[in-house]
Amino acid sequence: MGEFDGLVAAVTGGASGIGAAIVAALRERGARVAALDVTEVEDGVRADVTDDASVRQAISAVVDRFGGLDIVVNNAGIGAQGTVADNDDAEWLRVLDVNLLGMVRVSRAALPHLRRSRAAAIVNVGSIAATAGLPQRALYSASKGAVAALTRAMAADHLREGIRVNCVHPGTADTPWIGRLLDRAEDPEAERAALEARQPHGRLVSPQEVAHAVVYLASPLATSTAGAGLAVDGGMQDLRLRPR
Ligand SMILES: NC(=O)c1ccc[n+]([C@@H]2O[C@H](COP(=O)([O-])OP(=O)(O)OC[C@H]3O[C@@H](n4cnc5c(N)ncnc54)[C@H](O)[C@@H]3O)[C@@H](O)[C@H]2O)c1
């Protein structure tokens, strides 16, 4: 018996990287899982988190297919680079639309179903950028800082309805996203080395390590954990090691 036996989960951005690892980890532990993504995947449900009608349709499709919904993982997200001066209003709105409002739309559509669950949980995927000041990440950091604050507010609103809301904050993780970022760098190897050196444990975080933290927060065994932000960043947020 897996701890998620009988539970149904929807994972946004489940077609790639961290989301795909979360889908696999929840399935391994017995959950029935739908990946909600703009990219179609086997056993997935097509959904664009920037489109309210598409999100509502996808959540209904998950409930029709599996008979309910217990766990939502709000993982879909996009990146943005630059200082506060570098992006225009349209870019700010585009990134906030995915990274912040995407979570709002999915959670809003899911709440009526989660209220009927015996083990309801929402896990949002934040970032080290929510908790540390990183250069050239003004817009992305603002979007993830909002996710951290939204997580706490949602946790307070829904705890007494039996719905726990928590957040994971990954450090730089080895996903196709970072692959694309490295491909664009002048010297990809040096860029990768710099990203690895930035994390106290000296390497990128694996998507499976992030998935493991999501599994913990989503688990029916974690019923006293609400409003938490769990760092999965090799110590980047809290540790100060001496240089090697
Ligand atoms: N990779 C990292 O270093 C890192 C670090 C901290 C936080 N994160 C966060 O983790 C999450 C996943 O990142 P990843 O590295 O796995 O990225 P990724 O690019 O590999 O995967 C993201 C997935 O989200 C989907 N997606 C994008 N826009 C969407 C939309 N409008 N509707 C539905 N799906 C959409 C994409 O199709 C893709 O499958 C993001 O929220 C990201 O901010 C990543």
Side-chain angles (χ1 to χ4, degrees):
M1 292 277 284
E3 75 196 81
F4 289 91
D5 278 352
L7 299 180
V8 175
V11 180
T12 70
S16 172
I18 290 171
I22 295 167
V23 169
L26 287 169
R27 281 192 183 140
E28 264 169 37
R29 290 162 179 80
R32 286 170 298 161
V33 189
L36 270 50
D37 207 298
V38 280
T39 307
E40 294 203 24
V41 274
E42 207 183 325
D43 288 338
V45 177
R46 206 193 161 277
D48 179 350
V49 300
T50 66
D51 176 350
D52 195 52
S54 154
V55 165
R56 286 182 181 284
Q57 236 169 30
I59 295 292
S60 293
V62 174
V63 171
D64 287 348
R65 187 191 297 178
F66 295 125
L69 180 61
D70 307 283
I71 293 156
V72 170
V73 182
N74 282 311
N75 161 79
I78 56 175
Q81 295 183 52
T83 71
V84 76
D86 293 329
N87 290 302
D88 62 12
D89 286 9
E91 182 65 358
W92 273 82
L93 293 171
R94 186 180 77 87
V95 174
L96 289 171
D97 200 18
V98 179
N99 290 7
L100 177 60
L101 274 81
M103 294 193 181
V104 173
R105 292 185 187 100
V106 173
S107 303
R108 197 165 54 198
L111 274 171
H113 306 289
L114 298 181
R115 288 190 183 107
R116 289 194 279 274
S117 164
R118 62 180 163 84
I122 298 177
V123 182
N124 297 329
V125 177
S127 170
I128 179 72
T131 54
L134 306 179
Q136 296 290 327
R137 292 291 183 276
L139 165 52
Y140 180 69
S141 301
S143 77
K144 291 299 185 177
V147 166
L150 177 68
T151 300
R152 289 187 292 270
M154 285 173 59
D157 283 335
H158 304 297
L159 184 71
R160 289 181 180 162
E161 298 181 323
I163 304 167
R164 294 180 305 104
V165 186
N166 292 286
C167 186
V168 293
H169 291 305
T172 307
D174 204 352
T175 70
W177 168 325
I178 293 301
R180 292 190 295 272
L181 205 74
L182 293 178
D183 287 346
R184 286 200 303 271
E186 255 176 51
D187 182 345
E189 264 180 47
E191 181 65 16
R192 188 182 179 94
L195 291 175
E196 286 173 347
R198 194 169 68 170
Q199 295 186 160
H201 70 344
R203 61 171 175 83
L204 300 188
V205 171
S206 79
Q208 289 72 26
E209 288 170 321
V210 181
H212 196 58
V214 171
V215 162
Y216 166 70
L217 293 171
S219 166
L221 300 177
T223 36
S224 285
T225 306
L230 178 53
V232 187
D233 61 3
M236 184 173 166
Q237 173 59 42
D238 289 324
L239 307 185
R240 299 291 179 273
L241 271 61
R242 293 167 66 103
R244 281 180 203 274

